[in-house]
Amino acid sequence: MDTPPHSLDLVLPCYNPQPGWAQVIVSAVAGLQEALPGVDLRIVLVNDGSQRGIATGDIEQLRAALPRFSYLESKVNRGKGNALRAGVEAAREGICLFTDIDFPYTQDSLLSLYRQLAAGETDIAVGIKDAAYYRQLPRMRVRISRFLRLLARLFLRISITDTQCGLKGFNAKGKKIFLLTTIDRYLCDLEFIFLADRTPGLRMKATPVRLREGVVFSRVNPRILLTEGGNFLKIVLRSVF
């Protein structure tokens, strides 16, 4: 029997976070808990081999402030996809969401995806960008996002082409599919949507989400683009064979 929809695991991958990150989590979780009275909210933090930014005091602060907190740590940096799989595998509740450690999306965006899943409207809830979202992105990120969407539409023919928004959620059925992914870095999201699209009977719903005020975007590393180009090719080959 599935866990009732009054529980939620929130998975947060973490790598070399900025100062003050632990308090950001505490404040965001407090707001979510207030908006979801009666919901058992559990935080799963996954340290993906950080070389700086995480002190023992940060983890102690989180343990003291969050009654239901789990901390996983990798000694080496394996990538966001690998960190997410570790966190999702450790998730115990019927519904799981994942997002970035700086909580770049509004609280209403997270609540919207959770409520869709809790109401049984879908098995996988996918945050996507709309025109307002794109207006807040740096120009380079807009170009990369739209180019990847074009490639996904042309070569993979998936129903949701905006795969890289960092807010997604799923129930137990969606969790099984997510754990089938193999890509260790950012295109794990694309691989997830690709696999879900090819799973008969699995429901998937796209929902526009909003960025919160003051979000700071990191610079895109050209090496990451090269690595992800190879990962995209792997997914294309998987679709052919």
Side-chain angles (χ1 to χ4, degrees):
M1 180 180 296
D2 288 341
T3 305
H6 53 263
S7 57
L8 167 65
D9 271 311
L10 182 59
V11 176
L12 303 172
C14 178
Y15 178 66
N16 291 345
Q18 297 298 312
W21 65 272
Q23 185 55 49
V24 170
I25 293 178
V26 172
S27 299
V29 171
L32 287 172
Q33 195 66 81
E34 183 177 357
L36 296 171
V39 173
D40 289 331
L41 176 57
R42 177 170 174 254
I43 305 303
V44 182
L45 176 68
V46 186
N47 178 3
D48 183 29
S50 296
Q51 299 174 338
R52 56 174 172 76
I54 299 181
T56 302
D58 295 320
I59 305 305
E60 291 176 349
Q61 177 186 359
L62 292 171
R63 291 193 192 282
L66 306 176
R68 306 184 74 229
F69 172 74
S70 179
Y71 178 59
L72 306 177
E73 183 177 15
S74 172
K75 297 302 181 184
V76 297
N77 175 241
R78 297 281 303 277
K80 183 177 180 180
N82 186 271
L84 283 173
R85 276 193 299 277
V88 169
E89 190 167 16
R92 301 172 186 168
E93 310 301 351
I95 296 175
C96 179
L97 294 179
F98 65 76
T99 190
D100 299 318
I101 197 172
D102 58 345
F103 284 81
Y105 305 98
T106 63
Q107 178 178 284
D108 285 345
S109 296
L110 274 78
L111 294 174
S112 176
L113 267 63
Y114 169 76
R115 287 168 176 156
Q116 290 172 25
L117 293 161
E121 298 174 10
T122 187
D123 299 310
I124 299 173
V126 181
I128 60 170
K129 311 176 194 72
D130 61 7
Y133 188 117
Y134 274 119
R135 284 195 293 270
Q136 292 180 260
L137 289 181
R139 185 174 301 177
M140 178 58 69
R141 284 183 176 267
V142 173
R143 290 173 177 170
I144 292 171
S145 175
R146 289 179 170 164
F147 182 60
L148 180 59
R149 294 181 69 169
L150 174 63
L151 293 179
R153 183 168 60 251
L154 292 176
F155 292 99
L156 300 177
R157 301 179 184 274
I158 52 181
S159 59
I160 299 175
T161 59
D162 186 5
T163 62
Q164 299 310 115
C165 182
L167 177 58
K168 296 179 179 65
F170 36 79
N171 60 18
K173 292 180 181 178
K175 175 181 177 178
K176 289 180 181 178
I177 302 304
F178 189 84
L179 292 178
L180 294 176
T181 61
T182 59
I183 289 174
D184 283 344
R185 299 204 175 269
Y186 294 103
L187 286 196
C188 174
D189 293 81
L190 173 58
E191 184 184 21
F192 175 44
I193 300 302
F194 168 77
L195 294 174
D197 230 19
R198 283 157 174 73
T199 303
L202 194 69
R203 299 168 302 162
M204 188 162 49
K205 182 176 180 180
T207 300
V209 297
R210 297 285 183 269
L211 289 169
R212 64 171 176 79
E213 293 294 328
V215 175
V216 177
F217 293 94
S218 60
R219 184 177 179 183
V220 178
N221 188 328
R223 281 197 219 169
I224 292 176
L225 296 180
L226 289 174
T227 300
E228 298 298 39
N231 286 330
F232 183 83
L233 181 58
K234 291 177 183 178
I235 300 173
V236 171
L237 293 175
R238 197 168 179 177
S239 70
V240 174
F241 300 103

